[in-house]
Amino acid sequence: MSAKRMRPRAQRPKSTRRQLEKTASIFAALGDENRLRLVARLSADGPLSIARLTEGGSVTRQAVTKHLQVLANVGLACNSRLGRESVWELEPEPFDAARHCLDSISAQWDAALDRLKAFVEP
Amino acid sequence: MNMDRIEKQVLLRAPRAKVWRALADSQAFGQWFGVKLKGQFAPGARIPGQVLHKGYEQCLFEITIERMEPERLLSWRWHPHAIDPKIDYSAEPTTLVVFELKEVAEGTLLTVVESGFEDIPMARRGEAYRGNEQGWAIQMGAIEKYVGQADETTGAAS
């Protein structure tokens, strides 16, 4: 890249929009109590089979499978077959997007504290 | 990874009393934070404010002071980055922001912890994300200029 591009605005909104749509679908998939519980469980103990994910809970095996499928559709989870069992685990990458939200708020604090520093220091 | 809290620490080369004033005096606070606040900070007080940056004037800004221990601790609750005027955030959980001051040889060690993000609806975090992406960098540039001027005028008083 040599000369300064004169039309950066024409490129940026497109990729930003795509990224936002992707992020929105991730949040939508996570916006359900049962699915959040599955994510927490997989995060702590995964990979786990459907049987393990169903045991002890009030949600049916069928419902668990359906919820996992929703998570898989947005790339939050994936499954592989282990013999006759389907084993599920989390995909780490989409969680980075959620992490990114927190990172931006964190960056705001960094900036605000820089302002405070400039405000109080001689 | 901790998705619930943000913790920051900064060493300020200024006496604790001065740092406390910048935090606990609502006018001084507003100057570096970038918001015009109505009323004085006191435990339990709900302080509404007007975001100063162009394009964000319609945003409702309000903090509710929790604790004030002079020169030691200030805490408040708010809706983090509630930037869409069309959304009523009031029913949502808040995050807690705690400032703690500690006197050290070089000045004042300030710790800021914002916690409670795990109680914020995920969709709301998406909003915060979008807002940050589009506006914050510009806003901070404006605040920097504003505080630069304010610092000169208030510096003489301290």
Side-chain angles (χ1 to χ4, degrees):
Chain A
M1 293 260 261
S2 53
K4 214 179 195 178
R5 281 181 187 246
M6 293 309 289
R7 298 184 61 204
R9 290 170 64 95
Q11 293 183 321
R12 199 154 167 246
K14 200 177 166 188
S15 62
T16 306
R17 200 180 313 126
R18 200 181 305 126
Q19 199 182 354
L20 285 171
E21 279 165 9
K22 194 179 161 198
T23 307
S25 70
I26 290 166
F27 283 118
L30 287 170
D32 174 276
E33 200 186 320
N34 287 307
R35 290 197 287 274
L36 266 184
R37 200 170 289 137
L38 285 170
V39 166
R41 186 77 203 286
L42 287 173
S43 169
D45 307 321
L48 290 169
S49 66
I50 300 257
R52 289 288 307 281
L53 285 167
T54 311
E55 70 191 10
S58 54
V59 185
T60 65
R61 191 186 169 95
Q62 231 175 352
V64 167
T65 307
K66 219 176 95 185
H67 285 307
L68 287 168
Q69 208 57 58
V70 173
L71 295 172
N73 287 345
V74 296
L76 283 171
C78 61
N79 70 325
S80 50
R81 295 207 73 86
L82 193 71
R84 291 166 57 201
E85 275 282 19
S86 188
V87 176
W88 286 81
E89 62 186 314
L90 296 181
E91 289 271 17
E93 191 262 337
F95 284 91
D96 294 344
R99 177 77 223 178
H100 184 83
C101 296
L102 217 53
D103 284 345
S104 334
I105 295 174
S106 177
Q108 291 174 22
W109 274 116
D110 286 336
L113 291 177
D114 280 350
R115 304 289 80 75
L116 174 63
K117 199 173 171 70
F119 188 74
V120 297
E121 290 189 352
Chain B
M1 66 186 180
N2 191 333
M3 295 294 280
D4 189 64
R5 58 191 263 143
I6 290 171
E7 183 164 345
K8 302 283 172 193
Q9 203 162 58
V10 63
L11 174 67
L12 301 167
R13 293 176 199 283
R16 203 154 54 129
K18 188 176 182 183
V19 175
W20 177 253
R21 265 201 306 280
L23 293 174
D25 179 279
S26 60
Q27 299 313 304
F29 174 87
Q31 284 179 45
W32 63 267
F33 204 78
V35 64
K36 187 170 168 57
L37 297 169
K38 287 185 193 135
Q40 283 300 317
F41 289 178
R46 289 175 70 166
I47 311 286
Q50 165 109 46
V51 177
L52 295 167
H53 185 70
K54 198 164 178 277
Y56 289 83
E57 297 93 336
Q58 300 305 311
C59 300
L60 295 172
F61 179 97
E62 187 179 85
I63 59 178
T64 302
I65 306 293
E66 286 222 329
R67 287 166 64 192
M68 284 181 91
E69 296 171 28
E71 300 191 17
R72 207 193 76 75
L73 186 145
L74 169 73
S75 65
W76 83 69
R77 290 194 162 273
W78 71 344
H79 297 289
H81 210 63
I83 46 101
D84 189 342
K86 293 191 290 294
I87 294 178
D88 178 12
Y89 298 98
S90 60
E92 291 184 1
T94 51
T95 52
L96 176 68
V97 177
V98 181
F99 293 90
E100 275 189 277
L101 289 71
K102 197 179 165 200
E103 199 166 271
V104 291
E106 302 92 332
T108 306
L109 189 64
L110 177 70
T111 308
V112 185
V113 177
E114 180 169 8
S115 61
F117 288 104
E118 280 184 353
D119 294 329
I120 306 294
M122 284 300 204
R124 177 66 185 72
R125 285 198 209 169
E127 281 301 316
Y129 173 47
R130 183 168 65 189
N132 295 339
E133 284 292 294
Q134 291 176 349
W136 192 259
I138 303 162
Q139 192 172 17
M140 289 321 295
I143 293 164
E144 188 165 19
K145 278 183 207 159
Y146 183 75
V147 171
Q149 293 161 5
D151 196 29
E152 283 167 28
T153 52
T154 54
S158 51

